[in-house]
């Protein structure tokens, strides 16, 4: 006779709310700008537009500025920071060409190329072994694994 083992996923934490009174009484540490004046640490942003209008160019420009402490248009990264780009679409050669163009054209003012080279990690799907399971950032363990990989700076 065989038995079927059924396991349940651990319960997810309940959503939390905060009263206005508690919110006003709570002291939070100041956040730093990753891109001044609109993106601070602990925040995320979504860049959405139709195909072919420059989302990847903008994303790479901002990533270079954050990784190398530079400026794109009126937006400035006050200091160099680690940046991780998980790209599910572009070929690694296209990314190389675009980054080369942005760096060589001076599209990012004040870019510290050495810091940028050390701080910007790209993980394009097209660079992976076809048998490798690529990250799905909608899934918490995948997000955790991708961040852990960057923290360990495992470049392959």
């Amino acid at each position: 006779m065989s038995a079927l083992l059924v396991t349940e996923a651990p319960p997810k934490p309940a959503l939390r709310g905060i009263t206005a009174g508690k919110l006003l009484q709570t002291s939070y540490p100041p956040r730093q700008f990753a891109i001044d004046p609109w993106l601070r640490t602990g925040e995320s942003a979504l860049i959405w537009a139709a195909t072919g209008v420059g989302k990847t160019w903008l994303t790479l420009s901002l990533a270079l500025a954050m990784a190398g402490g530079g400026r794109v248009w009126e937006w400035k990264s006050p200091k160099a920071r680690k940046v991780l780009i998980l790209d599910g679409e572009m070929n690694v050669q296209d990314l190389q060409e675009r980054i080369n163009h942005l760096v060589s054209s001076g599209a990012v003012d004040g870019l510290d190329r050495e810091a940028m080279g050390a701080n910007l990690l790209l993980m394009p799907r097209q660079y992976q072994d076809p048998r490798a399971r690529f990250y799905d950032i909608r899934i918490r363990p995948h997000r955790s694994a991708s961040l852990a990989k960057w923290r360990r700076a495992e470049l392959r």
Side-chain angles (χ1 to χ4, degrees):
M1 176 181 249
S2 63
L4 177 63
L5 176 63
V6 178
T7 59
E8 293 183 26
K12 294 183 179 182
L15 295 176
R16 301 182 309 165
I18 186 168
T19 65
K22 183 173 182 179
L23 180 65
L24 293 173
Q25 293 173 355
T26 303
S27 185
Y28 296 100
R31 293 179 293 160
Q32 298 176 355
F33 278 103
I35 294 288
D36 190 3
W38 61 272
L39 183 65
R40 292 182 286 185
T41 56
E43 296 178 343
S44 58
L46 173 66
I47 298 173
W48 180 90
T51 301
V53 298
K55 295 180 299 293
T56 301
W57 286 106
L58 176 61
T59 300
L60 289 174
S61 298
L62 293 171
L64 290 171
M66 285 186 280
R71 177 187 214 72
V72 176
W73 301 304
E74 68 272 9
W75 305 321
K76 180 172 180 14
S77 181
K79 70 176 193 176
R81 301 175 179 279
K82 288 186 176 183
V83 177
L84 171 65
I85 293 182
L86 298 174
D87 187 292
E89 296 180 348
M90 293 197 67
N91 185 285
V92 68
Q93 291 170 297
D94 293 330
L95 289 168
Q96 181 188 48
E97 289 172 8
R98 289 186 182 199
I99 291 173
N100 273 332
H101 176 76
L102 291 167
V103 170
S104 65
S105 69
V108 180
D109 295 329
L111 178 66
D112 179 336
R113 291 182 184 198
E114 187 175 330
M116 178 272 300
N119 287 334
L120 179 56
L121 175 64
L122 296 109
M123 295 189 67
R125 182 178 192 78
Q126 300 299 325
Y127 186 68
Q128 309 308 314
D129 183 300
R131 297 166 294 172
R133 186 173 176 190
F134 196 67
Y135 297 115
D136 183 341
I137 61 170
R138 298 171 300 166
I139 301 171
R140 181 180 300 272
H142 286 211
R143 286 193 305 267
S144 299
S146 63
L147 291 173
K149 183 177 241 353
W150 175 233
R151 287 185 187 112
R152 289 189 312 268
E154 290 180 7
L155 301 174
R156 295 184 186 195

